[in-house]
Amino acid sequence: MEDNKLNIVYIDEEHDQLADFQADAELSGLFEEIYLLEPKSNLDEMVTEILELKVDAVISDFALNEAKVINYNGDQLLNAIQDIRHNFPCFLRTSYEDDAVSNSFDVNRVYVKEESMELHSESNLFKRVAAQISAYHRRFEAIKLEHINLRHKLAKEGLNSQETDRLIELDDLIESLLSAETKTPTEVKKLALSKFDALMNSTDKLINDIEANLKGNSSDA
Amino acid sequence: MLKVREIIPKRNFVDKKGHYREYRFDLRKDFNGACGYCDDNDEFQDKSTFHIDHFAPKSKFPELELEYENLVYSCRFCNVAKSNKWISNDAEVSHNGVKGFIDPCDDNYDEHIYRDFKGAINAKSSIGVYLVKELNLGLIRHEYLWKARKLRAQKLKLEDILSRLPKNSKARVDVLEAIVGLVREYETYFSWACR
């Protein structure tokens, strides 16, 4: 049976906060793996470590430098992740509501920590995380299916220019969701779908014709 | 109908290492510098963007994290798309005949997907449908990079033929014209791939 439980990672420099988060997340029953990470001094290394975990969502504390010297904050970390994987589910936890309002945060990913010390105090956050992961997967699936259908139509009967543009748009979206920084340029895709074939076919024919002639000449000799 | 991979990758014996990233050199060699799943070649891309995939995911089967037999040289797109997906609770059961993954080193891999004459990757079984969908094998980049490799192979073949043709022959002129045409295409499209 395919396992659909969710994996998440939480980043915080304070051990107590990491432990509290883990306890609450486990109690929510929504997650299979809950990875806990302390921030590394190098942002790129941090991003690589997070992405290698292959989690479904990333949650980071805003202030990552209260216990050690870190020259980026949680918002910058999440931006770096979403630069590579567009629209990837990311959440920023902050204790200070003013931070969330005064900074230019993406309000959709900010979550102000609950003051309550009771267990389940973060259940709203976990419900939001699970709902956003689910919405992200549904959207990704819909894009993939439309892409596959247009690919089938292209192979069977060809596409009109509007459909070709839509195929390339969907292709761009999929690449941006997986690895935006190494995405294939849109113009290259247009050319790849239309321009190579005639040249490659005529070159194949030329190679075959000349090879046949060369063989014929050598057997004549 | 063409095979997706021209050469089937084969894992050779490798001494156990302390971290899976230390297998990168061996894996690259055994997978012929290409992604095991889609055959995109790393020579047209930044090699650092190639990943090491754990065929049976390491989050589900941590005991296999350092097993060379469980590692796949993988492009970033296939690796990220595959993520932690696995259809069973057993590392040995990678598919159920309808859904799931096939080890790229298994000869059987090519029984499920094929490449058409334009280079696009398509399914030829239920598992193939799963592979194409879950790994996004229909992405245009896979077709583009295959065409880029084919253009280069054609250029090399023509250069070889040219060296064997008598000077001042009509065939030699045809070959030269074809090489010029290929080089033009090569420069136009490879400038992105080689960056």
Side-chain angles (χ1 to χ4, degrees):
Chain A
M1 192 182 75
E2 197 153 8
D3 195 341
N4 290 320
K5 278 219 172 179
L6 307 171
N7 298 336
I8 56 172
V9 59
Y10 178 58
I11 302 104
D12 201 313
E13 86 284 27
E14 293 183 61
H15 291 178
D16 293 353
Q17 292 286 331
L18 289 169
D20 288 349
F21 182 93
Q22 182 174 31
D24 276 351
E26 281 174 356
L27 276 170
S28 77
L30 292 166
F31 309 110
E32 181 181 40
E33 291 283 349
I34 302 149
Y35 297 100
L36 303 171
L37 295 178
E38 288 181 49
K40 287 176 178 278
S41 55
N42 182 294
L43 177 61
D44 289 341
E45 283 177 20
M46 190 75 228
V47 170
T48 301
E49 184 171 352
I50 291 168
L51 293 179
E52 281 189 356
L53 291 174
K54 298 181 174 178
V55 289
D56 297 292
V58 180
I59 302 139
S60 176
D61 187 38
F62 171 65
L64 298 175
N65 56 2
E66 284 175 355
K68 53 182 176 178
V69 180
I70 301 290
N71 59 3
Y72 58 89
N73 61 36
D75 193 49
Q76 289 164 322
L77 173 64
L78 298 184
N79 283 341
I81 289 169
Q82 289 189 327
D83 282 348
I84 295 172
R85 297 194 60 187
H86 285 184
N87 300 325
F88 190 76
C90 288
F91 295 85
L92 188 67
R93 272 177 108 217
T94 172
S95 308
Y96 313 106
E97 196 156 6
D98 287 351
D99 270 345
V101 177
S102 63
N103 283 289
S104 56
F105 295 154
D106 173 354
V107 290
N108 293 315
R109 72 181 189 205
V110 174
Y111 184 85
V112 180
K113 288 178 194 171
E114 301 283 345
E115 292 302 322
S116 166
M117 298 300 285
E118 292 172 19
L119 286 175
H120 292 298
S121 63
E122 300 285 13
S123 63
N124 285 337
L125 169 65
F126 300 129
K127 282 180 194 159
R128 260 180 71 184
V129 170
Q132 191 159 323
I133 292 171
S134 170
Y136 173 82
H137 285 168
R138 276 200 309 275
R139 180 164 176 263
F140 203 166
E141 283 297 297
I143 292 167
K144 280 162 65 167
L145 280 177
E146 192 183 348
H147 185 274
I148 286 171
N149 288 338
L150 282 172
R151 269 301 213 176
H152 285 163
K153 191 170 181 205
L154 173 65
K156 267 186 161 176
E157 55 192 277
L159 299 178
N160 62 34
S161 64
Q162 218 172 354
E163 289 166 331
T164 303
D165 287 348
R166 179 64 181 157
L167 173 64
I168 291 171
E169 185 185 358
L170 293 165
D171 205 89
D172 280 346
L173 269 171
I174 294 173
E175 284 197 316
S176 299
L177 292 167
L178 295 171
S179 178
E181 61 174 1
T182 54
K183 180 183 156 297
T184 316
T186 307
E187 284 308 309
V188 166
K189 292 181 185 180
K190 285 184 185 161
L191 296 168
L193 283 179
S194 61
K195 213 176 164 213
F196 285 112
D197 301 334
L199 179 77
M200 289 198 314
N201 291 340
S202 61
T203 305
D204 267 345
K205 187 173 177 317
L206 180 70
I207 288 171
N208 290 338
D209 288 351
I210 295 178
E211 284 285 20
N213 273 338
L214 284 170
K215 254 187 199 161
N217 289 343
S218 69
S219 55
D220 288 349
Chain B
M1 199 182 282
L2 305 169
K3 285 190 170 177
V4 172
R5 293 97 41 90
E6 280 167 25
I7 309 168
I8 297 171
K10 183 178 179 296
R11 295 183 192 91
N12 289 299
F13 175 78
V14 171
D15 287 332
K16 193 114 175 176
K17 300 192 172 167
H19 194 285
Y20 72 86
R21 289 202 199 102
E22 292 171 27
Y23 291 114
R24 175 176 281 273
F25 176 80
D26 301 294
L27 268 183
R28 182 171 186 270
K29 194 170 159 209
D30 285 351
F31 281 77
N32 311 299
C35 173
Y37 298 108
C38 67
D39 204 40
D40 283 2
N41 197 303
D42 69 6
E43 72 182 301
F44 298 133
Q45 303 171 68
D46 180 355
K47 289 177 184 55
S48 67
T49 68
F50 263 62
H51 287 187
I52 295 174
D53 176 58
H54 288 82
F55 181 62
K58 71 175 191 292
S59 66
K60 288 187 167 63
F61 309 104
E63 69 279 11
L64 298 179
E65 180 168 356
L66 299 178
E67 288 301 323
Y68 190 69
E69 288 296 310
N70 189 46
L71 303 181
V72 176
Y73 194 61
S74 167
C75 75
R76 185 185 286 211
F77 291 90
C78 287
N79 184 44
V80 174
K82 182 168 167 282
S83 187
N84 290 323
K85 292 166 193 156
W86 197 252
I87 60 112
S88 75
N89 293 321
D90 184 341
E92 296 295 320
V93 181
S94 68
H95 67 86
N96 59 13
V98 179
K99 290 192 338 181
F101 296 103
I102 307 286
D103 182 346
C105 294
D106 188 333
D107 289 347
N108 198 21
Y109 189 83
D110 291 302
E111 298 302 313
H112 301 282
I113 51 175
Y114 70 97
R115 212 183 268 283
D116 67 22
F117 290 103
K118 291 184 172 186
I121 300 174
N122 299 288
K124 55 177 173 174
S125 73
S126 301
I127 290 177
V129 170
Y130 182 90
L131 291 174
V132 169
K133 179 168 171 280
E134 297 304 331
L135 298 175
N136 301 297
L137 296 178
L139 282 176
I140 298 167
R141 64 179 291 110
H142 301 314
E143 185 174 338
Y144 162 74
L145 287 167
W146 178 83
K147 284 177 175 174
R149 287 204 301 277
K150 173 150 178 166
L151 276 174
R152 192 181 62 170
Q154 285 182 325
K155 185 178 87 61
L156 292 172
K157 183 84 185 159
L158 284 170
E159 285 169 350
D160 171 58
I161 288 174
L162 189 66
S163 71
R164 291 185 278 134
L165 282 172
K167 281 188 179 168
N168 303 322
S169 67
K170 165 77 172 67
R172 194 176 172 86
V173 174
D174 291 343
V175 168
L176 280 170
E177 281 177 357
I179 290 175
V180 169
L182 284 170
V183 167
R184 278 195 192 127
E185 298 289 328
Y186 198 84
E187 284 174 348
T188 307
Y189 307 122
F190 277 59
S191 58
W192 165 74
C194 294
R195 69 185 177 172

